[in-house]
Amino acid sequence: MTLEVSISDKDLQRIKESVLKNHGMDLSYFKPSFLARRIHVRMKMLNVKNSSEYVNFLNSKPNELGSLYDSLSINVTKFFRDKQVWQFFSHKVIPNLLKVISPTDTIRIWSCGCASGEEPYSLAIMFMEALKNNEHKFKILATDININSLRKARSGIYNKDNLKNLDTKLITKYFKKMENDKFQINEKIKNLVSFNLGDITTFPATYIDVVFCRNLLIYYGKDAQDLIFKKFYTVLKQNRYLVLGMDETLWGHKLQNSFIPISARDRIYQKKIPIDTNFEVNAGK
């Protein structure tokens, strides 16, 4: 039987206050419609009939706070999702990075909302392939709010279907075949990624060369997106890069003129500084 559920504005506010007080996370950043859908999922799983009953359940069962919090992390991801984005970044952006970053400095990349690890490991593979015998070093910071997703990411174990965007040579090079059609990413790649529990709005990232924040901002309200873009602008070094999801854009936001669209089609932007950039802009494609 399908359980019909609904949530009132009053109860939604009570839930936000409870999570903020007991879990330290401000749910007001998220779109109300997204929050309502995730709360509906929890209510159906618990066979809770209305939002008032769920508020009482939430306040009486401390573990439910964590379950609701984890449910806000959307784990729809894959290796090299939207391959043309990765190809453009590898062929056009990385060479430009190497021109301005000294080999003595480590390239720092932040993967926001890393879920089960496919994106940061894709970044590690991409940079390994692009750098080859180059002297440059890099490190990837990966964050997510879901501790269970981070556990899976740290294990580095994936089903064969997860690897369908990967060339066979890359699978052979960077993964170890296991039983039951599972593959584990090798230790060299693992050691390049640091997984951390943290929310995008509060995590203390600094001195970043590349931010990958793909398919995460769509769950946040416009005001929250403006705050996040401001944070990205602050943590990124001069002339460094921001990569968004295909359904996300800087257009219409307060900082839209603070970034140059390197490839508008692929949602790749460069932090703007007062002087002209030497990068060849590909905004029309």
Side-chain angles (χ1 to χ4, degrees):
M1 181 179 69
T2 301
L3 180 66
E4 296 296 330
V5 296
S6 62
I7 179 167
S8 68
D9 292 340
K10 180 180 178 180
D11 287 335
L12 183 60
Q13 183 59 35
R14 291 172 65 193
I15 291 169
K16 290 179 183 179
E17 291 171 356
S18 183
V19 173
L20 180 61
K21 178 181 178 181
N22 297 293
H23 212 75
M25 181 181 181
D26 190 350
L27 299 187
S28 63
Y29 289 125
F30 292 102
K31 292 179 180 177
S33 58
F34 169 67
L35 273 181
R37 287 196 302 271
R38 304 317 297 169
I39 293 169
H40 285 174
V41 170
R42 295 302 306 161
M43 290 169 66
K44 288 182 178 180
M45 289 182 67
L46 297 166
N47 201 34
V48 171
K49 295 185 175 107
N50 57 64
S51 55
S52 294
E53 184 180 335
Y54 181 72
V55 171
N56 293 332
F57 184 88
L58 190 68
N59 289 330
S60 63
K61 304 288 185 181
N63 289 341
E64 176 57 20
L65 281 168
S67 297
L68 174 60
Y69 183 64
D70 287 347
S71 76
L72 299 174
S73 175
I74 307 300
N75 295 316
V76 180
T77 184
K78 63 180 70 172
F79 281 89
F80 293 100
R81 184 177 182 181
D82 303 315
K83 289 182 72 173
Q84 78 282 355
V85 175
W86 298 85
Q87 289 169 351
F88 183 93
F89 194 93
S90 178
H91 296 153
K92 300 293 184 180
V93 178
I94 291 180
N96 198 64
L97 269 175
L98 299 185
K99 293 177 184 177
V100 297
I101 296 179
S102 168
T104 59
D105 293 332
T106 299
I107 301 170
R108 290 172 48 81
I109 306 123
W110 182 14
S111 171
C112 308
C114 66
S116 46
E118 286 90 333
E119 180 178 275
Y121 286 140
S122 294
L123 283 163
I125 291 171
M126 177 179 66
F127 271 88
M128 282 287 287
E129 288 295 295
L131 297 183
K132 295 189 183 297
N133 298 322
N134 196 288
E135 295 180 358
H136 285 83
K137 296 179 181 179
F138 67 94
K139 192 71 177 176
I140 297 163
L141 169 67
T143 59
D144 200 274
I145 63 173
N146 190 319
I147 193 168
N148 294 316
S149 294
L150 290 173
R151 287 194 188 103
K152 180 178 179 181
R154 291 186 182 112
S155 76
I157 298 174
Y158 301 94
N159 295 321
K160 187 176 181 179
D161 287 345
N162 295 120
L163 311 183
K164 62 183 180 181
N165 282 342
L166 282 167
D167 184 273
T168 303
K169 291 181 180 179
L170 293 180
I171 295 175
T172 302
K173 187 174 182 179
Y174 294 113
F175 291 82
K176 178 177 70 175
K177 180 75 179 336
M178 304 176 71
E179 296 179 351
N180 302 319
D181 267 345
K182 290 186 181 295
F183 295 79
Q184 185 170 37
I185 202 153
N186 67 31
E187 289 300 316
K188 188 172 185 179
I189 294 296
K190 268 192 182 184
N191 292 336
L192 292 167
V193 183
S194 171
F195 289 101
N196 298 267
L197 183 66
D199 173 53
I200 187 176
T201 60
T202 57
F203 193 83
T206 54
Y207 302 108
I208 302 296
D209 295 292
V210 179
V211 171
F212 262 65
C213 183
R214 305 193 71 237
N215 309 300
L216 178 62
L217 295 180
I218 54 176
Y219 302 110
Y220 288 81
K222 189 174 185 299
D223 289 344
Q225 290 179 8
D226 281 331
L227 289 173
I228 292 168
F229 286 137
K230 182 178 180 181
K231 179 168 186 173
F232 289 160
Y233 188 84
T234 301
V235 305
L236 280 167
K237 297 178 185 177
Q238 290 186 345
N239 269 337
R240 299 309 196 259
Y241 301 94
L242 169 65
V243 185
L244 304 179
M246 300 305 288
D247 294 323
E248 298 163 334
T249 180
L250 273 160
W251 182 257
H253 288 277
K254 294 178 180 178
L255 289 183
Q256 69 175 35
N257 294 323
S258 298
F259 290 86
I260 300 167
I262 300 304
S263 175
R265 178 195 64 183
D266 299 314
R267 305 297 193 267
I268 299 174
Y269 303 87
Q270 185 179 31
K271 178 178 175 177
K272 188 176 181 181
I273 59 174
I275 61 174
D276 291 335
T277 177
N278 291 321
F279 197 100
E280 182 180 351
V281 177
N282 188 30
K285 295 182 179 180

